[in-house]
């Protein structure tokens, strides 16, 4: 405890951090709330001296906007598909890593590398892997088509190449590419958290189970998963929060068009919708969309926490 006579020193030391927090966190939140409820708000109109009425017009315009449903559908679909898959894979990999003592540190480093790599750069690599590229070759200007690494693997096993992200590709193919990328990109953090949780479990539970002759499957379902439930709840909640904010991964693969060249905006998300409104100088709509996204994330988080309370064992 700090002596009451010395508290001013504590506040003095904390003042730089408090000022930065107020300027870059508290004020933007307050300003977003303000702009969301000022109908038709735009910085350009403010410069001209125009005034704005208080209301919910920005929210109505966002909901009625033709691309809003598409953005919300893409955002929810990516969350529903990627969070369960990435969590299950991370759990299985963490359990496997926990049983490998010799190469555990090395493999932890390998699995963690994508987490510290730029998302746009990774997206460009994935785009090259799934892309079908045609190029001129030789003096006769013959077009040599490269199907991409993924299609080469598919053809090696007797399948037919798939148009994943090029012109004419289907929505299902586009979503499949995004799910693969997002799951792969989400694994490192989840593996690290779950592996830490596994290493904190008391080994006496496993020793007792072995003495009783319990099968590995039953040990996994009756000991590992219940005792790891707090960590699982954490990665699921943070996974949904991150999934609803998905944007950079789609830009990395499809570019600013947020979709294949013949159907721009097909894979746009709520964050992409907010950026589109900002670039169009519709700051009020962007703020309203940000608040709608916040409410959706808040509701989903509360549902996860309420469901988790019944299944989490501390």
């Amino acid at each position: 405890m700090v002596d009451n006579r010395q508290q001013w020193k504590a506040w003095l030391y904390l003042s730089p951090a408090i000022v930065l927090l107020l300027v870059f966190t508290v004020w933007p939140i307050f300003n977003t709330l303000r702009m969301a409820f000022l109908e038709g708000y735009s910085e350009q109109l403010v410069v001209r001296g125009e005034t704005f009425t208080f209301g919910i017009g920005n929210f109505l315009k966002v909901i009625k906007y033709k691309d809003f449903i598409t953005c919300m559908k893409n955002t929810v679909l990516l969350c529903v598909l990627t969070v369960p898959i990435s969590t299950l894979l991370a759990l299985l990999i963490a359990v496997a890593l926990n049983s490998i003592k010799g190469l555990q540190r090395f493999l932890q480093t390998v699995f963690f590398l994508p987490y510290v790599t730029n998302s746009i750069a990774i997206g460009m690599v994935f785009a090259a892997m799934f892309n079908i590229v045609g190029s001129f070759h030789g003096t006769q200007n013959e077009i040599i088509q490269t199907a991409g690494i993924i299609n080469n693997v598919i053809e090696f096993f007797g399948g037919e190449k798939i148009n994943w992200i090029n012109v004419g590709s289907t929505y299902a193919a586009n979503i499949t590419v995004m799910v693969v990328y997002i799951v792969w990109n989400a694994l490192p953090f989840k593996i690290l958290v779950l592996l830490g949780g596994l290493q904190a479990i008391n080994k006496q539970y496993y020793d007792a189970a072995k003495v009783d002759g319990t099968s590995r499957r039953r040990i996994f379902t009756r000991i590992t998963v219940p005792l790891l439930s707090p960590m699982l709840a954490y990665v699921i909640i943070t996974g949904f929060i991150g999934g609803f904010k998905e944007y950079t991964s789609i830009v990395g693969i499809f570019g600013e068009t947020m979709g294949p060249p013949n159907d721009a905006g097909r894979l746009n998300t709520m964050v992409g919708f907010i950026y589109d409104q900002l670039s169009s100088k519709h700051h009020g709509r962007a703020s309203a969309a940000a608040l709608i996204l916040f409410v959706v994330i808040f509701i989903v988080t509360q549902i996860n926490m309420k469901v988790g309370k019944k299944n989490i064992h501390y």
Side-chain angles (χ1 to χ4, degrees), residues 2-312:
V2 180
D3 184 33
N4 290 335
R5 291 173 298 180
Q6 303 296 326
Q7 281 189 359
W8 67 272
K9 292 184 178 180
W11 286 108
L12 179 64
Y13 297 144
L14 287 172
S15 58
I18 293 174
V19 170
L20 290 174
L21 192 65
L22 290 172
V23 172
F24 294 104
T25 302
V26 177
W27 166 246
I29 293 174
F30 172 77
N31 197 34
T32 300
L33 285 168
R34 183 180 66 87
M35 290 189 296
F37 288 97
L38 294 177
E39 297 194 7
Y41 183 88
S42 173
E43 294 289 349
Q44 289 181 331
L45 298 178
V46 172
V47 174
R48 297 175 188 173
E50 295 191 22
T51 57
F52 308 93
T53 57
F54 185 86
I56 59 171
N58 290 326
F59 293 92
L60 296 177
K61 288 179 181 178
V62 168
I63 294 172
K64 292 178 181 179
Y65 198 72
K66 60 178 181 179
D67 293 330
F68 174 77
I69 298 300
T70 299
C71 296
M72 183 60 75
K73 180 190 72 172
N74 290 335
T75 304
V76 173
L77 183 61
L78 288 174
C79 282
V80 171
L81 292 176
T82 58
V83 174
I85 295 173
S86 61
T87 303
L88 179 60
L89 286 177
L91 176 60
L92 297 176
I93 294 172
V95 171
L97 279 177
N98 193 47
S99 62
I100 302 173
K101 302 301 180 183
L103 297 174
Q104 191 177 99
R105 292 183 181 276
F106 171 73
L107 292 175
Q108 276 183 267
T109 304
V110 171
F111 277 106
F112 195 68
L113 283 176
Y115 188 72
V116 295
T117 307
N118 184 274
S119 298
I120 300 296
I122 297 175
M124 294 174 67
V125 172
F126 266 76
M129 291 170 60
F130 286 94
N131 202 8
I132 299 175
V133 180
S135 60
F136 290 102
H137 180 73
T139 56
Q140 299 179 353
N141 288 332
E142 297 178 352
I143 297 178
I144 306 299
Q145 195 174 72
T146 303
I149 298 174
I150 302 300
N151 278 327
N152 289 337
V153 173
I154 293 174
E155 289 179 333
F156 178 80
F157 287 100
E160 296 183 2
K161 66 181 180 181
I162 301 172
N163 184 2
W164 296 104
I165 60 176
N166 297 83
V167 176
S169 58
T170 62
Y171 178 77
N174 298 159
I175 286 293
T176 301
V177 174
M178 293 313 310
V179 168
V180 171
Y181 168 61
I182 294 171
V183 168
W184 183 83
N185 198 32
L187 281 177
F189 176 74
K190 294 185 178 182
I191 291 172
L192 189 68
V193 172
L194 295 178
L195 186 58
L198 282 170
Q199 293 174 347
I201 295 176
N202 195 326
K203 299 297 184 283
Q204 291 181 353
Y205 295 111
Y206 295 107
D207 294 337
K210 289 179 181 178
V211 171
D212 293 337
T214 309
S215 64
R216 290 186 177 181
R217 177 178 172 276
R218 194 167 180 81
I219 290 174
F220 177 76
T221 56
R222 297 294 182 178
I223 297 177
T224 302
V225 173
L227 293 178
L228 206 59
S229 55
M231 299 299 178
L232 286 170
Y234 172 74
V235 297
I236 289 172
I237 291 173
T238 54
F240 272 106
I241 293 174
F244 276 106
K245 297 189 296 181
E246 201 63 58
Y247 174 72
T248 55
S249 57
I250 301 171
V251 173
I253 292 179
F254 291 97
E256 294 182 355
T257 59
M258 303 291 283
N262 63 308
D263 196 355
R266 175 192 284 179
L267 296 177
N268 202 2
T269 60
M270 281 301 297
V271 174
F273 178 84
I274 294 169
Y275 280 123
D276 290 342
Q277 297 304 309
L278 287 173
S279 62
S280 301
K281 308 301 181 184
H282 296 139
H283 301 94
R285 293 185 198 174
S287 300
L291 286 183
I292 291 173
L293 180 60
F294 168 77
V295 171
V296 172
I297 293 174
F298 180 79
I299 293 172
V300 172
T301 302
Q302 292 302 312
I303 292 172
N304 279 323
M305 292 180 69
K306 196 161 187 178
V307 172
K309 282 183 179 179
K310 300 179 181 179
N311 302 306
I312 295 176

